[in-house]
């Protein structure tokens, strides 16, 4: 274990059980659709890897990268598009996959961006809904867990690029 003050919030088995359930629900909803699963880098990559393997309907996948947080735990309030998808979203049913939704700024910006690119539909699947700093109302179509507050790391989630590889989700606590 990397050195940190931590409290485990979601262990690997709880994560995998819930991701399987989400995959089943998404499979039902997207039967007969033109599904493009769009992961938001970097945080969503581990969640997305498990999620796409739990979805039983045909899909294509791609990634988009934006940044809203600079270094540290508070948002800069501004979105920068860092890398664009390689697949044309026009006419596709896009499922945006996010690690965590906090203020809602990032996902709101992404939904608007993909709709402007001509997506047929845009829905949101987030592993964690953290309403602590919600300033932009967003409808999360598929939500893994509601965790009201705290700064979380592991399973893709980082603090200054650290802790992404941890197989569970932890509450990062400031040193005592
Ligand atoms: P929002 O734009 O405020 O909703 O922030 C969304 C992005 O901030 C997420 O995709 C994460 O990259 C990052 N973020 C927000 N809360 C946390 C957290 O608790 N741990 C790690 N990253 C977080
Ligand atoms: Mg993220």
């Amino acid at each position: 274990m990397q050195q940190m003050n931590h409290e485990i919030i979601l262990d690997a088995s709880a994560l995998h059980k819930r991701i399987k359930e989400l995959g089943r629900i998404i499979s039902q909803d997207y039967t007969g659709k033109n599904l493009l699963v769009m992961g938001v880098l970097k945080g969503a990559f581990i969640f997305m890897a498990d999620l796409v393997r739990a979805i039983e309907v045909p899909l294509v996948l791609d990634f988009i990268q934006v940044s809203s947080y600079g270094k540290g735990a508070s948002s800069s309030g501004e979105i920068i598009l860092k890398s664009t998808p390689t697949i044309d979203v026009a006419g596709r049913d896009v499922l945006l996959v996010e690690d965590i939704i906090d203020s809602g700024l990032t996902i709101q910006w992404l939904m608007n961006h993909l709709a402007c690119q001509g997506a047929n539909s845009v829905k949101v699947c987030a592993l964690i809904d953290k309403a602590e700093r919600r300033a932009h109302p967003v409808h999360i179509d598929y939500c893994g867990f509601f965790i009201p507050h705290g700064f979380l790391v592991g399973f893709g989630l980082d603090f200054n690029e650290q802790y992404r590889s941890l197989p569970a989700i932890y509450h990062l606590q400031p040193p005592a």
Side-chain angles (χ1 to χ4, degrees):
M1 165 65 90
Q2 298 161 39
Q3 270 220 325
M4 57 186 283
N5 289 318
H6 63 275
E7 178 201 345
I8 192 158
I9 299 285
L10 297 166
D11 66 16
S13 94
L15 286 162
H16 291 129
K17 184 167 172 271
R18 182 66 183 133
I19 294 169
K20 279 266 175 207
E21 286 169 4
L22 289 175
R24 265 197 298 275
I25 299 165
I26 290 166
S27 301
Q28 285 165 8
D29 291 357
Y30 282 88
T31 300
K33 302 235 168 145
N34 192 4
L35 175 58
L36 166 56
V37 181
M38 179 75 72
V40 184
L41 291 172
K42 298 176 199 170
F45 85 108
I46 290 181
F47 172 42
M48 170 133 153
D50 285 349
L51 184 70
V52 291
R53 285 178 290 178
I55 298 176
E56 289 158 359
V57 294
L59 60 87
V60 295
L61 62 89
D62 207 340
F63 296 95
I64 190 165
Q65 186 168 18
V66 293
S67 103
S68 66
Y69 277 31
K71 281 191 170 179
S74 64
S75 172
S76 64
E78 192 189 323
I79 301 293
I80 301 158
L81 185 58
K82 289 196 154 178
S83 99
T84 52
T86 58
I87 297 177
D88 187 0
V89 303
R92 295 188 189 268
D93 297 301
V94 180
L95 180 62
L96 268 167
V97 178
E98 252 290 30
D99 51 1
I100 185 164
I101 297 179
D102 187 11
S103 74
L105 176 70
T106 308
I107 204 73
Q108 196 184 61
W109 189 94
L110 283 166
M111 290 186 77
N112 185 49
H113 177 74
L114 294 169
C116 289
Q117 306 285 307
N120 183 54
S121 65
V122 183
K123 284 188 175 187
V124 176
C125 177
L127 182 60
I128 296 165
D129 176 7
K130 186 176 86 172
E132 191 178 12
R133 281 189 287 247
R134 189 67 39 85
H136 306 267
V138 280
H139 175 66
I140 305 175
D141 300 278
Y142 309 98
C143 175
F145 300 91
F146 179 74
I147 296 174
H149 44 71
F151 197 84
L152 308 175
V153 295
F155 210 75
L157 290 154
D158 77 306
F159 176 69
N160 286 349
E161 296 298 332
Q162 292 185 78
Y163 312 120
R164 290 195 199 276
S165 61
L166 297 177
I169 291 188
Y170 297 85
H171 182 192
L172 185 69
Q173 286 154 341

